[in-house]
Amino acid sequence: IHEKLIVHSDLGKAASWKRLTEKFLNSPLPSTEETKTDTHYSILSLLLCLSDSPSNTTYVEKPRDKEVEKEEEFDWGKYLMEGEEIYFGPGIDTPDWSGESEEEEDTQPLSREDSGIQVDRTPLEDQDPNKKTVPNVSWKVGEPDARSWLEQHVVSQYWTGRAPRFSHSLHLHSNLAAVWDHHLYTSDPLYVPEERTLVTETQVIRETLWLLSGVKRLFIFQLNDGKVAVRNDIIVTHLTHNCLRSVLEQIAAYGQVVFRLQKFIDEVMGHGPENITHGTVSTPKKTTEAPFRTYQAFMWALYKYFISFKEELTEIEKCIINKDKTVTLSIVIDKLAPRLAQLKVLHKVFSTGVAEVPPDTRNVVRASHLLNTLYKAILEYDSVGEASEQTVSLLFSLWVETVRPYLQTVDEWIVHGNLFDPAKEFIIQRNKNVPVDHRDFWYATYTLYSVSEKTENEEKMSDNASASSGSDQAPSSRQHTMVSFLKPVLKQIIMAGKSMQLLKNLQCKDGSPQQAASRDAERKSLYTLFLESVQSRLRHGEDSVPDIITEQQATKQSLIKMQSIAERHLELDDVHDPLLAINFARLYLEQSDFHEKFTGGDVCVDRSSESVTCQTFELTLRSCLYPHIDKQYLECCGNLMQTLKKDYRLVEYLQAMRNFFLLEAGDTMYDFYTSIFDKIREKETWQNVAFLNVQLQEAVGQRYPEDSARLSISFESVDTAKKKLPVHTLDGLTLSYKVVPWPVDIVISLECQKIYNQVFLLLLQIKWAKYSLDVLRFDELVCAAETPQVKEGTSLEQGTRPLFGPQTESIKQQIHRMFLLRVKLMHFVNSLHNYIMTRILHSTGLEFQHQVEEAKDLDQLIKIHYRYLSTIHDRCLLREKVSFVKEAIMKVLNLVLMFADRWQAGLGAWKMESIEKMESDFKNCHMFLVTVLNKAVCRGSFPHLESLALSLMAGMEQS
């Protein structure tokens, strides 16, 4: 409108309009003392709508006389000082202690009673005509008479060096300081009174309240280098100097605690805006990076505590201002005694958990140490019982706030598969060098940090192995611990987190994350579930847990209130960031309902319902936190196992490994390895890789066409030392099961295939020895023995046979000994073969199948598979510890192959001494194995060897 009037050249109207509207907007209304409010503009809008068009109306501004409201002049100073006598105290040089004061006290009774009713005895003519009375008018800072008004009507300037004397009662108890000084002066000739500042008890109380509120610039209490000291020249009339100082020094100690905690709050709160505004920290601070979330949560817990503490201090100050009740320093200290005790506990926790930690300590150690300090403090005070309920409530509320980032990290990991930890404060940290779809994901992706609270040293240990000692060996008395409250469910958290990350990756590849996203929108966070469980556990007289979300209107009002509080606090450090204030306000609102209910008087811990020997706090965690983690663990791990078994055919792959590597598919693998054994028997070349793979594909392709493409076999030349022994001819064979898809290769790794190959090679050697003995025929040996006999004879007539009688008997004896040795060797090989294939592979395989079906998580399945491979590896005598037993068995198998080779060559190809040597070697090995196995069985070291020992013992008795 002003611009419109200028355009219409109504400059007079425009000037009047602008002047009058600004005057109106800057004037307070009867309903509000603020200026330029919505009410002001609404009134202007209403007047504009009621008026004619301003540009079409002639207007002449009328002069207005300013109405000055005459306020009743009232001398408050005279009213408040009525009946009081001004007493200047004893002189410094010559104190006058006469009886005049007592006589005056007797002759001049007090005219103002404690009831507050004024008894005006002072005649009007007794008033000092020269005394100026300043009217009680409103004033603003900066006006000339503002300071004089304050000096005469607010409080005497006791903080200045020239503090004026003021009136007080002449009662004896009100002059105890003067009486004590007089006593010292009369009793000690060398006593010299000191110049001191006289203050009232109300002023001492107010400065005490201001000190505990965090005000640093005070007169009685002085802050120097972080320490609060009490001025030595302060006295009150009714207390001795030493008494007052002892009381104030106790208060100063608590004030120092407040300043130390407030400094921590300011350091953490003041860090955020600098990073947001400037990007880097420009002010020199002890820490070079922003405080991590656990410290921020702990700071927020302290901040909320000080909000309620300052509200209590404000109520006491209002009581002093209103003068409704008698307020003395003793009453204030008694009233604040519970708060002061809480401050002592907070300082102890802060000193141990934060202040005493070296500045170069890593965030994971800082966060773990702080949470452990709170955890142990709760257990310590909780063990006392009902005597420390308030302290336990305070510490528990602090712990609940401080643990929030940890639980949020756990929730984000076990629910969404994302370990969000930018400050590296969580005890489990992600190795980003290993992608999710890598075969080493399950083993090398996460690192669990174990922290020693006494030495502050770290040591890393794999999350699927036991703790390994670091370079600095700590004494046995120093236990390496992580966050104590997570210990019972740490395994579940790790398994659930890795399983969920793996499952999320599989779902993303399948392209079906919509259902999971809808479920995530409906679910409550782990922290919210924990709070609800705690509320339902700790409250009495309520049947159901109330809804944490308040009504929209109440939420908005609380948000505005907390935003204004946060803004005022940030403005103290010259920080102007409304977004930061809103974030703090929302953070407070999320927990205000729980905080109010927990710290209120209607909440108490029911100790009668719990066992006396159990800790209530640990029971609270066991019933309120751990079940939610266990539930999510079972859900996500169960889903992953179902996905692996159904969609990725994990069980079928495990069965395929057993079919081909452990020769459970007997008919299929028989066709493969007999073709190799025939080539060896016929002294033909069999090491050709193409020939081996063709035989393998033909054997497998008939019954398992899907696996034929995944199976391949290779051959590598063995050491020349081993080539001398026939049994080691097969050592170069390596069976490979390729194209194991991810994530099945997490279970069936290359290391597992190496173990499978070791067992496969042993089985091939046993099968070769058994096959070599099975294919030997008696007629072959007899024909081979008769052939040289025919060639040497000169006639085939009857009667020629007796000419060769002794030689024929020798041949028969050799054949008979060969037959017996063959039977003994077959008994040994068959006993070993039956032990391996039935007692070890078959029975162990049945147990393995049952355990695979019962496995709850992938880690358990991996351990079951490794345990299965380790079992068959040990029971097949492949471990280094029993290598001497395997060497004896290999020696017998080597004898079998040599025996078969000589059987085929015939009797004339070798001498009788070689049979005797084979018999001797076999007997020695046989006896050695029986002795060793029997001792092992008797000791109980290898109970599975009992059947093999008995079988071999039976063969030895028959020999």
Side-chain angles (χ1 to χ4, degrees):
I1 292 176
H2 177 263
E3 185 178 357
K4 181 179 181 180
L5 293 174
I6 292 178
V7 171
H8 284 268
S9 300
D10 291 336
L11 300 183
K13 288 184 180 179
S16 299
W17 172 266
K18 185 173 183 180
R19 184 175 65 259
L20 293 175
T21 52
E22 287 184 355
K23 182 179 179 182
F24 173 73
L25 291 175
N26 291 322
S27 301
L29 296 176
S31 60
T32 178
E33 295 182 357
E34 299 178 359
T35 59
K36 294 185 180 181
T37 62
D38 292 343
T39 307
H40 288 79
Y41 289 102
S42 300
I43 293 175
L44 285 179
S45 177
L46 176 63
L47 293 176
L48 183 61
C49 293
L50 294 176
S51 65
D52 296 330
S53 176
S55 59
N56 297 332
T57 306
T58 56
Y59 172 75
V60 179
E61 184 178 355
K62 298 179 181 179
R64 300 183 182 183
D65 297 332
K66 185 177 180 181
E67 297 182 359
V68 181
E69 297 181 0
K70 295 183 179 181
E71 297 185 1
E72 181 183 358
E73 296 182 358
F74 186 78
D75 190 356
W76 283 99
K78 180 181 178 182
Y79 170 73
L80 295 175
M81 295 297 182
E82 191 272 328
E84 303 288 343
E85 296 293 336
I86 299 177
Y87 175 67
F88 295 96
I92 300 177
D93 301 327
T94 57
D96 185 11
W97 295 97
S98 62
E100 296 178 0
S101 61
E102 296 180 0
E103 296 175 0
E104 187 178 353
E105 182 180 357
D106 296 337
T107 58
Q108 296 181 2
L110 297 176
S111 61
R112 188 175 179 189
E113 300 177 358
D114 291 339
S115 61
I117 302 176
Q118 181 182 6
V119 181
D120 193 359
R121 300 185 300 100
T122 308
L124 210 52
E125 59 270 11
D126 291 341
Q127 297 182 3
D128 187 2
N130 298 326
K131 187 173 181 181
K132 245 181 152 180
T133 303
V134 181
N136 186 15
V137 296
S138 61
W139 55 272
K140 297 181 181 179
V141 176
E143 293 182 1
D145 59 341
R147 184 173 183 84
S148 62
W149 190 95
L150 282 173
E151 290 177 351
Q152 298 184 28
H153 288 80
V154 179
V155 70
S156 60
Q157 299 181 9
Y158 63 90
W159 55 88
T160 61
R162 48 182 183 80
R165 302 290 184 179
F166 54 87
S167 61
H168 66 282
S169 174
L170 299 178
H171 195 275
L172 178 62
H173 296 166
S174 300
N175 293 278
L176 182 60
V179 174
W180 183 250
D181 274 351
H182 179 263
H183 169 70
L184 294 178
Y185 182 79
T186 56
S187 61
D188 188 2
L190 300 179
Y191 174 73
V192 178
E194 300 177 0
E195 180 67 23
R196 293 190 176 96
T197 303
L198 191 63
V199 294
T200 63
E201 186 172 4
T202 302
Q203 293 166 355
V204 175
I205 294 173
R206 290 180 117 177
E207 290 218 4
T208 298
L209 298 178
W210 295 340
L211 174 71
L212 297 178
S213 299
V215 179
K216 297 180 180 179
R217 297 184 60 183
L218 297 173
F219 176 70
I220 299 177
F221 303 97
Q222 294 179 338
L223 180 64
N224 295 321
D225 297 332
K227 296 182 179 180
V228 180
V230 182
R231 291 181 65 98
N232 197 32
D233 58 347
I234 298 296
I235 61 169
V236 292
T237 59
H238 59 287
L239 290 177
T240 64
H241 177 259
N242 292 336
C243 177
L244 177 64
R245 183 171 181 80
S246 65
V247 175
L248 295 183
E249 284 179 349
Q250 295 178 6
I251 298 174
Y254 290 107
Q256 187 169 330
V257 172
V258 172
F259 287 150
R260 184 64 189 93
L261 296 177
Q262 190 64 49
K263 181 182 178 182
F264 172 73
I265 294 175
D266 295 338
E267 288 176 354
V268 178
M269 288 188 69
H271 229 298
E274 293 173 3
N275 289 341
I276 294 173
T277 306
H278 306 292
T280 58
V281 180
S282 59
T283 57
K285 286 184 178 280
K286 293 183 179 179
T287 56
T288 58
E289 57 184 7
F292 50 95
R293 294 192 299 163
T294 302
Y295 269 22
Q296 293 180 14
F298 181 63
M299 175 277 301
W300 184 245
L302 293 177
Y303 183 71
K304 289 202 299 183
Y305 173 80
F306 277 112
I307 287 178
S308 61
F309 184 34
K310 291 176 182 179
E311 288 177 355
E312 185 174 344
L313 297 176
T314 305
E315 291 298 325
I316 298 176
E317 191 170 3
K318 286 180 181 180
C319 187
I320 296 174
I321 295 173
N322 297 330
K323 298 183 179 180
D324 296 334
K325 299 177 182 179
T326 301
V327 181
T328 64
L329 186 60
S330 176
I331 294 176
V332 171
I333 294 177
D334 289 342
K335 190 173 183 179
L336 293 177
R339 287 285 189 178
L340 298 181
Q342 292 176 357
L343 282 177
K344 189 175 181 181
V345 174
L346 289 180
H347 183 254
K348 180 181 178 182
V349 171
F350 172 78
S351 299
T352 306
V354 178
E356 296 178 359
V357 179
D360 56 344
T361 308
R362 305 183 66 165
N363 290 343
V364 60
V365 184
R366 290 170 176 264
S368 301
H369 184 64
L370 176 57
L371 291 173
N372 282 343
T373 301
L374 286 170
Y375 182 82
K376 292 179 180 178
I378 294 174
L379 294 182
E380 178 183 350
Y381 286 100
D382 191 33
S383 61
V384 178
E386 297 181 359
S388 61
E389 278 191 0
Q390 295 298 326
T391 304
V392 172
S393 298
L394 170 66
L395 291 175
F396 186 70
S397 62
L398 283 177
W399 183 84
V400 167
E401 290 287 349
T402 308
V403 83
R404 176 189 176 110
Y406 250 64
L407 293 186
Q408 286 179 336
T409 303
V410 171
D411 182 68
E412 181 70 19
W413 192 27
I414 67 177
V415 174
H416 301 96
N418 178 29
L419 184 58
F420 180 75
D421 185 23
K424 295 184 178 180
E425 59 186 301
F426 194 56
I427 56 174
I428 303 168
Q429 295 180 12
R430 174 78 159 89
N431 181 15
K432 296 183 179 180
N433 297 328
V434 181
V436 181
D437 55 355
H438 195 270
R439 63 185 180 87
D440 294 333
F441 161 78
W442 199 259
Y443 315 100
T445 310
Y446 295 97
T447 302
L448 175 64
Y449 284 82
S450 178
V451 181
S452 173
E453 296 184 355
K454 293 187 178 181
T455 60
E456 303 298 306
N457 290 332
E458 293 181 43
E459 64 178 358
K460 298 180 181 180
M461 63 179 182
S462 176
D463 53 10
N464 61 347
S466 59
S468 59
S469 58
S471 58
D472 298 332
Q473 293 291 340
S476 58
S477 60
R478 295 175 178 174
Q479 296 182 352
H480 291 263
T481 59
M482 60 281 301
V483 182
S484 301
F485 79 96
L486 286 182
K487 275 186 180 181
V489 288
L490 187 61
K491 176 183 177 294
Q492 289 88 329
I493 292 174
I494 295 174
M495 293 302 104
K498 294 195 295 186
S499 300
M500 183 53 67
Q501 186 172 4
L502 191 60
L503 193 60
K504 288 287 184 179
N505 195 277
L506 296 177
Q507 291 177 351
C508 291
K509 289 193 173 185
D510 294 342
S512 58
Q514 290 81 8
Q515 296 180 356
S518 62
R519 289 196 303 268
D520 291 342
E522 298 175 357
R523 64 173 292 275
K524 295 181 180 179
S525 66
L526 175 64
Y527 188 71
T528 303
L529 294 173
F530 172 59
L531 292 187
E532 291 181 355
S533 301
V534 170
Q535 291 177 20
S536 62
R537 174 180 173 82
L538 299 184
R539 242 183 297 110
H540 291 297
E542 298 182 18
D543 297 331
S544 61
V545 179
D547 193 0
I548 291 182
I549 302 176
T550 58
E551 296 181 359
Q552 184 177 4
Q553 186 176 2
T555 303
K556 184 177 181 181
Q557 293 176 356
S558 301
L559 182 61
I560 295 173
K561 177 183 176 182
M562 279 308 304
Q563 181 181 350
S564 62
I565 293 174
E567 285 178 349
R568 287 200 302 270
H569 183 83
L570 293 174
E571 287 174 0
L572 295 178
D573 296 330
D574 296 331
V575 177
H576 302 279
D577 191 349
L579 292 178
L580 186 64
I582 293 175
N583 290 335
F584 276 119
R586 292 193 180 278
L587 182 61
Y588 176 81
L589 279 180
E590 290 177 3
Q591 302 306 322
S592 61
D593 181 70
F594 166 74
H595 184 74
E596 292 173 1
K597 288 191 167 99
F598 184 79
T599 56
D602 58 337
V603 179
C604 59
V605 179
D606 182 11
R607 299 179 181 274
S608 60
S609 61
E610 308 295 350
S611 174
V612 181
T613 58
C614 295
Q615 298 292 346
T616 307
F617 180 51
E618 292 179 341
L619 289 174
T620 301
L621 292 179
R622 200 176 303 163
S623 62
C624 300
L625 178 61
Y626 299 159
H628 301 299
I629 296 177
D630 287 333
K631 180 181 178 182
Q632 184 62 27
Y633 156 75
L634 293 175
E635 180 180 351
C636 65
C637 292
N639 292 338
L640 177 62
M641 293 301 297
Q642 289 297 113
T643 303
L644 293 177
K645 290 178 181 179
K646 291 185 177 180
D647 301 341
Y648 290 88
R649 302 169 54 200
L650 174 61
V651 178
E652 286 80 355
Y653 284 114
L654 291 174
Q655 184 61 46
M657 300 297 292
R658 294 166 56 202
N659 286 340
F660 306 121
F661 285 86
L662 305 185
L663 308 183
E664 288 192 7
D667 49 355
T668 300
M669 298 306 293
Y670 180 83
D671 296 340
F672 165 66
Y673 59 70
T674 52
S675 61
I676 299 176
F677 298 158
D678 291 338
K679 286 280 187 180
I680 297 175
R681 187 167 179 265
E682 295 171 3
K683 304 294 190 296
E684 297 180 5
T685 304
W686 60 273
Q687 292 91 345
N688 188 359
V689 177
F691 164 74
L692 295 175
N693 282 282
V694 168
Q695 296 298 322
L696 181 64
Q697 297 297 325
E698 289 181 356
V700 176
Q702 296 177 4
R703 299 175 179 85
Y704 304 96
E706 295 180 358
D707 296 318
S708 61
R710 299 190 180 99
L711 281 172
S712 64
I713 194 166
S714 60
F715 181 81
E716 296 179 0
S717 58
V718 297
D719 298 339
T720 55
K722 289 185 177 181
K723 283 184 178 180
K724 298 178 181 178
L725 301 178
V727 73
H728 294 296
T729 306
L730 301 175
D731 284 358
L733 286 176
T734 302
L735 185 63
S736 300
Y737 192 83
K738 298 181 180 179
V739 200
V740 177
W742 178 85
V744 179
D745 58 352
I746 296 177
V747 181
I748 308 175
S749 61
L750 295 178
E751 291 76 11
C752 295
Q753 291 200 30
K754 291 180 181 178
I755 301 176
Y756 276 117
N757 260 303
Q758 294 179 16
V759 180
F760 172 70
L761 181 60
L762 176 65
L763 294 178
L764 276 187
Q765 292 171 338
I766 297 175
K767 293 283 187 181
W768 184 20
K770 186 177 185 306
Y771 181 79
S772 299
L773 292 176
D774 290 342
V775 297
L776 295 179
R777 299 184 178 276
F778 295 109
D779 54 354
E780 292 179 356
L781 186 62
V782 173
C783 292
E786 291 178 352
T787 302
Q789 185 179 5
V790 173
K791 290 181 179 179
E792 293 176 0
T794 57
S795 176
L796 295 175
E797 298 175 357
Q798 292 183 355
T800 58
R801 197 174 185 95
L803 296 176
F804 302 97
Q807 189 176 3
T808 305
E809 291 296 330
S810 175
I811 293 174
K812 288 183 178 181
Q813 185 179 3
Q814 292 181 16
I815 294 174
H816 181 68
R817 293 180 67 175
M818 291 286 284
F819 287 172
L820 291 178
L821 182 58
R822 178 178 181 268
V823 171
K824 293 177 183 179
L825 293 175
M826 287 187 67
H827 179 269
F828 180 91
V829 174
N830 288 334
S831 298
L832 180 63
H833 180 268
N834 292 335
Y835 163 75
I836 295 294
M837 297 304 295
T838 59
R839 179 68 179 87
I840 302 303
L841 298 182
H842 181 68
S843 59
T844 310
L846 293 178
E847 295 177 3
F848 173 66
Q849 287 180 346
H850 178 71
Q851 291 174 352
V852 168
E853 294 297 328
E854 297 294 328
K856 295 181 180 179
D857 55 64
L858 183 57
D859 191 71
Q860 188 177 357
L861 179 61
I862 292 173
K863 290 181 179 179
I864 290 172
H865 187 226
Y866 269 118
R867 194 183 305 118
Y868 168 68
L869 290 180
S870 177
T871 300
I872 62 175
H873 184 268
D874 292 347
R875 294 183 178 181
C876 289
L877 307 174
L878 297 174
R879 194 167 54 171
E880 285 294 331
K881 189 176 180 180
V882 292
S883 59
F884 59 94
V885 179
K886 182 190 174 186
E887 289 177 2
I889 293 176
M890 289 294 106
K891 194 170 183 180
V892 174
L893 296 182
N894 195 58
L895 286 174
V896 170
L897 297 177
M898 293 173 60
F899 174 80
D901 187 58
R902 293 182 180 182
W903 182 293
Q904 292 177 352
L907 292 177
W910 38 271
K911 298 180 180 180
M912 188 64 186
E913 289 78 5
S914 61
I915 298 179
E916 295 175 354
K917 187 176 186 307
M918 283 191 291
E919 290 177 343
S920 176
D921 291 344
F922 174 70
K923 184 177 182 180
N924 293 334
C925 291
H926 197 178
M927 187 173 296
F928 169 76
L929 287 174
V930 170
T931 304
V932 170
L933 294 180
N934 280 332
K935 288 183 179 180
V937 171
C938 292
R939 287 198 308 266
S941 304
F942 304 99
H944 55 277
L945 293 174
E946 184 177 2
S947 59
L948 179 61
L950 292 175
S951 179
L952 295 181
M953 189 183 301
M956 186 180 66
E957 290 174 354
Q958 294 174 6
S959 62

